[in-house]
Amino acid sequence: MQRIAMLGGGFIGRFYAESLHGQRSRDKVVAIYARREETAKKFADDYGCSFLSTNMEEVIAHPDVTMVCIALPNNLHAPAVELCAKHKKNVVCTKPLGRNAEEALQMMKLVEEAGIFGGYLEDLCYSPKFLKALETVKNGALGRILWAKSRETHPGPHSNWFWDKEQAGGGCMLDLGCHCVEIARNFIGKDVRPVEVMCWAATQVKPIDAEDHAIALVKYENGAIGQFEVSWTFRGGMDLRDEVMGTEGTIWINNFLRTGFEMFTTGKGADYVAEKAESNTGWLFPVGDEVNDLGYNHMFTDMFASAEAGREPAETFYDGYVVNAILDAAYKSAETKQWEPVQLPVWRGKEGLSQEQTLTDYDEDHYLIKEEVTHDGRHKVILKEKASGKIIERDLV
């Protein structure tokens, strides 16, 4: 059983508490820290916390606490981790780990030097559809992964601090791109080094200093490409989609917006529909089990089971650091309009990979490019001559 101190009583803290009290049932949020006393009291009343405080260190150091869950604005992640290391308390932290790679690396080192458990709460890498897709990829059904694309767009986050560049560290790219980058890393292989990034980002709609829309390509050492599309300007709810393309197959995932559950209502008696939903009237797209569909249940099960077994979870502080490093390169590229290298002074994956070639022999003298049946019924192959390099086609009998 984990006795959890929740740091942050806002939207994400409540989402986490719903999952924590609902999935394994033996885990319990016993303490709450919030910057405002009324927030802490409301959270404590709603979730039955025995201790509340507006002093973060008091909550972390409380003797009943075995695990600290950071659900705070981005600028408070590092100070919270520092206190967890000081008091030797296991910790899980919401995404992004830091506002930049330097901050994330500092947090990772604090956890490792203190000898405490550190888990990176990247929920979209635990959604049921993602886990099934990842298992399929790891089993080789898609062959060699060439391209992994992830999209997260919605009308913007719930709390005011997200819109403050100093507190958040960035805009939609840091808020949403961290999900997308880690999704692509999982499909391509987290031990494959990200090499460089090309990014476009702009402030198209919102009156803020940070970007509200961004698109980027992340090149990996083995030749694979990761791609993300993120926006706080999308109208119509929250759109979460992933695509994976390999030499032997393709996966398309729609996680949230259009999942087969559709309803119409005039709005009478309607209330909350789903996260980032913009309306509660007309045609709506509710989510059957939101905390489960967004990965929270599987995430906390993995985190706590890993902590209790003394092993690393699927998503670690190191993963959060790599994600921050990729996003740092994306921000730089958005300014320079050029490919920018990913700076990773600490890298624990494979070294010296090169782009793989997939050549399929057709016969002793030819490589196979494509085999097909045409609209007029012909069965043909397109081949490359090994000796000359000439491309030919041949009808099969």
Side-chain angles (χ1 to χ4, degrees), residues 370 372 374 378 380-384 390-396:
K370 186 181 180 184
E372 65 180 348
T374 64
R378 287 188 303 138
K380 73 172 187 178
V381 291
I382 301 176
L383 307 172
K384 179 178 180 179
K390 184 179 179 182
I391 307 296
I392 64 171
E393 63 178 76
R394 180 184 296 171
D395 286 346
L396 302 178

Side-chain angles (χ1 to χ4, degrees), residues 5 7 31-33 51 53 55-62 65:
L7 307 185
I32 173 66
Y33 159 78
F51 182 74
S53 178
N55 182 304
M56 188 190 302
E57 186 164 9
E58 281 184 359
V59 172
I60 291 171
H62 196 282
V65 169

Side-chain angles (χ1 to χ4, degrees), residues 19 71 233 239 315 331 346 354:
S19 176
T233 67
D239 187 13
E315 295 294 328
Y331 276 107
V346 177
S354 57

Side-chain angles (χ1 to χ4, degrees), residues 108-134:
M108 183 186 84
K109 289 180 175 178
L110 281 168
V111 164
E112 293 180 351
E113 290 168 3
I116 58 177
F117 177 87
Y120 178 49
L121 298 181
E122 178 40 81
D123 60 285
L124 293 187
C125 290
Y126 288 96
S127 71
K129 290 178 184 177
F130 172 84
L131 292 174
K132 182 65 176 179
L134 184 61

Side-chain angles (χ1 to χ4, degrees), residues 129-188:
K129 290 178 184 177
F130 172 84
L131 292 174
K132 182 65 176 179
L134 184 61
E135 179 186 18
T136 301
V137 168
K138 287 185 174 181
N139 287 340
L142 268 62
R144 178 166 57 91
I145 301 304
L146 306 173
W147 175 39
K149 174 184 174 183
S150 185
R151 167 187 171 92
E152 181 171 2
T153 62
H154 58 60
H158 303 281
S159 301
N160 59 346
W161 66 264
F162 281 96
W163 305 91
D164 183 325
K165 189 175 180 179
E166 177 58 30
Q167 291 185 75
C172 67
M173 191 148 57
L174 192 60
D175 178 37
L176 310 180
C178 59
H179 288 303
C180 301
V181 165
E182 188 63 355
I183 286 167
R185 284 188 69 229
N186 271 275
F187 286 132
I188 292 168

Side-chain angles (χ1 to χ4, degrees), residues 5-9 31-36 40 51-63 65 68-87 89 91:
M6 186 67 68
L7 307 185
I32 173 66
Y33 159 78
R35 290 170 291 174
R36 296 188 305 156
F51 182 74
L52 65 90
S53 178
T54 57
N55 182 304
M56 188 190 302
E57 186 164 9
E58 281 184 359
V59 172
I60 291 171
H62 196 282
V65 169
V68 176
C69 182
I70 300 174
L72 294 168
N74 298 346
N75 61 313
L76 299 178
H77 292 185
V81 168
E82 187 173 0
L83 289 172
C84 291
K86 175 183 174 181
H87 293 282
K89 293 294 179 79
V91 58

Side-chain angles (χ1 to χ4, degrees), residues 254-276:
N254 188 334
N255 278 305
F256 209 77
L257 188 62
R258 299 296 293 272
T259 59
F261 186 172
E262 302 179 19
M263 63 175 279
F264 177 87
T265 175
T266 61
K268 184 177 181 180
D271 194 5
Y272 182 83
V273 176
E275 184 180 349
K276 307 300 191 302

